[in-house]
Amino acid sequence: MDQSMLNTFADTLGIRYSVLDNLSDGRSAYRGTIHITNNSSSDLSHGKWGIYFCHLRMMEPDVLPVSDSYVYEDVKIQVKHINGCLFMLEPVKGFATLKTGQTIEIQFKAQYYSVAKTDVFPNWYLTYEGLEPRLIKSTTGESLDFISSFDTPSKWKRFDYELSNGQKRSDLYDPWSAEVRFQNNETNTGDKKADVNLIVPTPYKIDFKSIDSVNLQEPGWAVWSHDQVRPEARHLSEALGLDLVDVSEAEATGRDRTILVILGSVASDDPKCADNQEAYSLDIGSLCVKLQAPTSAGIFYAGQSLLSLRYSDGSHPLVSVLDYPRFQYRGMHVDVSRNFHTKDEVVALLDVMGRYKLNRLHLHLTDDEGWRLQIPGLEELTKVGGCRGHDLKEEMCLLPVLGSGPAPDLYPGSGFYTVQDYREILKEAVQRHIEVIPEIDMPGHSHAAIVAMATRCRRLMREGRPEEEACHYLLSDIENPFKVQSVQMFSDNVLDPGRESTYTFVDKIVKELKAMHEGVSPLRMFHLGGDEVPYEAWLESPACQARITAGEVSSVTELMGYFVKRVAQIVGSHGLDVAAWQDGIVMKKTQLFDRSDFDNDRVVVYAWKNVWETGMASDTVKLANAGYQVVMSQATHLYFDHPYEPDPDERGLYWSGRYLDTHKVFSFMPDMLYANADRKMTGEPFTEAELNKLSLENECTLTRPENIIGLQGQLWSELVRTPGQLQEMIIPRIIALAERAWHKAFWEDVADRSKLEVLRQKDWADFASILGSKELRRLETMNISYYLPPPGVRLSGGGRVMTVNCAYPGLPVYYSWDRGSTWLPYSQPVDVAPGVTDVTLVTRSFSGERSSRQVTVNLDFELDSHPSS
């Protein structure tokens, strides 16, 4: 085979991936097929060719990864696990030539279950020894057309098995029909003019002074400010299109039509408001608007509320607002490591966060799949660790995992922030009063760093440097990498806590990060990650065994604590607080590291492991009571990488729950954690008795509520490859997050569960209406994308009348009688003409440029069990 022939095969090979059955093997495995069709004019014979692809689950788990390969004897093709999610198919002896027009079928078994198209990655590629690899065209792009539909229960349900006690566990979730979606949306129409919803997130207090309004666009209006809040005043003046004037001039002339921005305490009978440094007051009169706060952050939030109060005609209501946040920490986490997301994408997110008064951006900068921040003096971290391509030895770049394809230097597999990029992100964050919290994930999730530092060591050794200098930052044994695999199927992904060079590396990273923040936004906290560590790997380490022999630790199981505490000491030596994920501090499910072991002023823990049946949700309370500050990051309600609906065509992972819509984020009650336990993993609702038992067995009384410092939404980016996908997975869920982080709803303290549900639903209806009628339109004017929910549809009158609704009332809905050739706007129930058999519907953005998934409804008074897309 020559390069031209390989290129032709790559352009013409047909790949068809199908999930067939998730249920027959219980929860341990699923069955599927891969069809390979030769559509070229040449035969594909046995040779040194291979097809590389990324697969979310371990292929042939009864054999791999213990064995090197598994042979499909009927077609004489073997599968190999390379590392992480990267697998390879190649012919073995006896492979029958695949002639033009022929198809071979590989019947495979894979671990656990797969119920969504996005479980399968695009950009499979073809290789031949000595030739340049090429993408297989039929697998490229974001349409994922090469994946068959999940059109039967055995394909869209996750499991069906029996526990050892005889109890049955079956997946109850089905894709929502258009009728089910209609039912879900039916009570969402709220009061679009509700006073409190004029500002999102909801303010502490808003009073209307009259029914009149004032137009700040009329001639003569200007923004006047003190020097101390000039940046916030400038931001407001630019947003309103008004002049900015020094306040001393205003005091001298006493002119009307002033928007006065001043620092000062906020008068309130509520000490929580009066003493809060982010509190503000806003008073809008016919001749004067006054924004007052004790800090510039409060001024910024007052400005956002003023902008939020603007009606569509440009006028503002005459109101007075008194406001302060519920939590000091109101955050959003974004994984820029698995798939890289550019500086511009981050700045766009900062814009959204600023709009809704969020104040922490947690950047997950490193992981197995990529190191995304330039570190002066360690160029391999980004030269090798920030690049993915077809380099099986990982000498020049990392493996092309997550469907990034064979070519190096392509977004989103490759990319990183220069020091200048990072400092510019910090500057943009400072303007919006957002603190950036950098996370360097360790000791697990560190494959990129390990490979990069091994490459550095080899380079310096080739240059003749002494071994001690060359290995100064080495993170594992260069000749004997760890073989134990992580949850994400990576070997060699955990730092060696026995090596002193590991801590030299950590000190270097913390030092350089602190330097990057200086002069822009001083670094206050370093996040060390600490999650999902495959501790068993350390049994392979001579350096770890030496620590045990020396008596520094008694066993391998104590090495995690040793590592975390040493890193915390390093971080503390730089004057910084330290943060970690829940499993970085909580060991063996219940054992916490003693808070007194840490000298840092603050140790912040992000509590995320709360699948209700595990009982681990109570770690949140235990950590707070033990003196740790806790950020609530619960996966069931705050993991934005989960799909919006339980539909195979929706993007997202589903390990903590089958779906997570905006309503569920809005419904979260931080003060009563187990009150959020609504459904089991199966989809079965918890009974009241089960909830009481769950709470009694796992909840402990919160004695130090001041240590629950806030909420954070999380977006992990394994399945997020484009700027649009990034924004759609976050928005509008982030607006509901902001609502709960800033404002405690009146219904949260209602003891009667049934009354609480009624009040919460009414509040959600108002919130959903304001999203659809105002907030999403606002974001669209900022060129921000957001998730568009498919419409709900109800047929009545014997299937002859069609009524349509939307999760966010106000978004435009269109329908088509001819399967998308022509579209009509929906405004009221529609009579169905005789002879019409189906209708197709979409929700659109206000500009009409973007659409939701299409929903096709059978008009013979039957709704499709699975909407098409």
Side-chain angles (χ1 to χ4, degrees), residues 173-188:
Y173 286 107
D174 293 308
W176 290 347
S177 67
E179 166 64 23
V180 168
R181 193 178 295 110
F182 186 94
Q183 294 172 19
N184 294 341
N185 298 339
E186 202 165 8
T187 58
N188 283 9

Side-chain angles (χ1 to χ4, degrees), residues 333 532 581-583 606-612 614 616-617 620 631-643 652-661 664-665 668 673 676-679 681 711-716 733 737:
H333 157 284
E532 297 180 325
W581 294 107
Q582 175 179 346
D583 34 345
Y606 293 70
W608 63 281
K609 301 180 78 169
N610 77 306
V611 173
W612 304 113
T614 68
M616 297 177 73
T620 299
V631 176
M632 303 188 81
S633 311
Q634 280 71 20
T636 58
H637 286 70
L638 300 173
Y639 263 45
F640 297 171
D641 56 329
H642 285 34
L653 300 170
Y654 39 82
W655 63 267
S656 77
R658 186 59 187 89
Y659 74 97
L660 171 57
D661 58 10
K664 190 166 185 176
V665 181
F668 186 57
L673 189 53
N676 296 290
D678 50 359
R679 292 182 182 273
M681 282 291 290
L711 304 183
Q712 179 170 277
Q714 279 67 227
L715 180 68
W716 301 99
R733 289 187 278 209
L737 167 72

Side-chain angles (χ1 to χ4, degrees), residues 517-528:
H517 279 252
E518 286 178 2
V520 183
S521 175
L523 184 62
R524 298 195 303 163
M525 186 164 70
F526 175 84
H527 197 302
L528 63 83

Side-chain angles (χ1 to χ4, degrees), residues 226-239:
H226 290 293
D227 288 341
Q228 300 99 311
V229 288
R230 185 58 51 86
E232 291 72 27
R234 182 176 294 108
H235 181 276
L236 183 60
S237 68
E238 291 173 353

Side-chain angles (χ1 to χ4, degrees), residues 6-27:
L6 182 140
N7 294 349
T8 299
F9 278 126
D11 285 344
T12 57
L13 274 180
I15 302 291
R16 171 62 56 182
Y17 181 100
S18 305
V19 171
L20 300 182
D21 182 10
N22 286 298
L23 305 181
S24 295
D25 289 290
R27 61 174 176 173

Side-chain angles (χ1 to χ4, degrees), residues 218-376:
E218 291 180 349
W221 282 96
V223 178
W224 306 71
S225 79
H226 290 293
D227 288 341
Q228 300 99 311
V229 288
R230 185 58 51 86
E232 291 72 27
R234 182 176 294 108
H235 181 276
L236 183 60
S237 68
E238 291 173 353
L240 292 171
L242 302 177
D243 290 335
L244 177 62
V245 185
D246 192 288
V247 75
S248 60
E249 183 178 340
E251 290 170 344
T253 60
R255 61 177 284 177
D256 293 331
R257 297 197 171 186
T258 62
I259 300 175
L260 189 60
V261 180
I262 58 173
L263 284 176
S265 60
V266 173
S268 173
D269 295 334
D270 185 343
K272 288 183 179 179
C273 182
D275 298 338
N276 194 297
Q277 292 300 295
E278 293 180 294
Y280 69 87
S281 63
L282 169 64
D283 187 85
I284 303 177
S286 58
L287 296 176
C288 180
V289 175
K290 184 177 179 182
L291 295 77
Q292 185 165 326
T295 64
S296 56
I299 292 294
F300 178 79
Y301 301 142
Q304 293 306 311
S305 291
L306 178 61
L307 295 172
S308 183
L309 284 163
R310 182 164 44 182
Y311 292 138
S312 57
D313 64 1
S315 65
H316 285 71
L318 303 185
V319 299
S320 61
V321 179
L322 188 63
D323 201 7
Y324 70 98
R326 175 184 194 171
F327 289 115
Q328 61 176 282
Y329 188 113
R330 307 177 300 280
M332 184 68 214
H333 157 284
V334 180
D335 170 10
V336 297
S337 174
R338 267 56 177 273
N339 282 307
F340 181 63
H341 299 284
T342 66
K343 179 186 71 175
D344 289 343
E345 292 177 69
V346 174
V347 171
L349 176 59
L350 288 170
D351 253 344
V352 176
M353 292 176 65
R355 287 277 183 181
Y356 298 104
K357 305 182 177 78
L358 295 171
N359 66 352
R360 300 289 195 279
L361 174 63
H362 174 174
L363 279 181
H364 185 79
L365 292 164
T366 70
D367 214 294
D368 295 316
E369 298 88 349
W371 183 287
R372 304 305 184 179
L373 180 63
Q374 178 187 18
I375 301 296

Side-chain angles (χ1 to χ4, degrees), residues 361-551:
L361 174 63
H362 174 174
L363 279 181
H364 185 79
L365 292 164
T366 70
D367 214 294
D368 295 316
E369 298 88 349
W371 183 287
R372 304 305 184 179
L373 180 63
Q374 178 187 18
I375 301 296
L378 300 179
E379 59 267 24
E380 282 86 0
L381 283 173
T382 47
K383 185 178 180 181
V384 177
C387 176
R388 296 207 294 254
H390 184 66
D391 177 6
L392 299 184
K393 294 183 178 180
E394 295 189 303
E395 295 175 336
M396 304 298 293
C397 60
L398 301 179
L399 294 172
V401 294
L402 303 179
S404 53
D409 302 323
L410 289 181
Y411 170 94
S414 300
F416 63 91
Y417 306 120
T418 65
V419 172
Q420 184 61 33
D421 289 336
Y422 186 70
R423 285 174 64 85
E424 288 175 6
I425 289 172
L426 295 178
K427 290 176 184 176
E428 295 286 349
V430 166
Q431 291 176 14
R432 296 158 180 81
H433 293 273
I434 296 170
E435 178 184 351
V436 174
I437 298 170
E439 179 190 347
I440 306 297
D441 206 350
M442 58 178 79
H445 291 281
S446 296
H447 182 73
I450 291 168
V451 169
M453 290 301 92
T455 301
R456 178 184 185 275
C457 178
R458 293 190 185 98
R459 173 179 64 81
L460 293 176
M461 293 285 281
R462 288 195 303 269
E463 293 174 2
R465 305 289 183 87
E467 183 176 350
E468 184 177 353
E469 178 185 347
C471 300
H472 193 57
Y473 298 111
L474 199 60
L475 301 174
S476 68
D477 191 325
I478 199 168
E479 300 299 332
N480 298 291
F482 292 132
K483 297 179 179 63
V484 172
Q485 291 196 349
S486 69
V487 174
Q488 288 81 15
M489 303 182 292
F490 269 98
S491 56
D492 199 21
N493 96 315
V494 60
L495 306 184
D496 190 334
R499 304 183 67 92
E500 198 59 32
S501 55
T502 295
Y503 305 101
T504 305
F505 174 82
V506 172
D507 185 70
K508 169 71 171 175
I509 299 302
V510 175
K511 177 183 176 182
E512 295 297 339
L513 264 171
K514 186 177 180 181
M516 287 182 215
H517 279 252
E518 286 178 2
V520 183
S521 175
L523 184 62
R524 298 195 303 163
M525 186 164 70
F526 175 84
H527 197 302
L528 63 83
D531 60 314
E532 297 180 325
V533 178
Y535 312 113
E536 300 87 350
W538 295 333
L539 291 168
E540 306 170 21
S541 167
C544 288
Q545 293 303 321
R547 298 247 182 221
I548 296 171
T549 302

Side-chain angles (χ1 to χ4, degrees), residues 558-600:
E558 292 187 5
L559 281 167
M560 182 63 181
Y562 176 85
F563 175 84
V564 169
K565 292 165 191 176
R566 279 214 48 186
V567 171
Q569 289 172 357
I570 293 168
V571 171
S573 72
H574 291 278
L576 304 176
D577 296 325
V578 69
W581 294 107
Q582 175 179 346
D583 34 345
I585 299 296
V586 181
M587 303 299 296
K588 300 178 183 177
K589 292 189 177 181
T590 58
Q591 181 183 341
L592 277 63
F593 298 145
D594 195 317
R595 175 63 180 88
S596 64
D597 290 342
F598 298 88
D599 293 330
N600 312 73

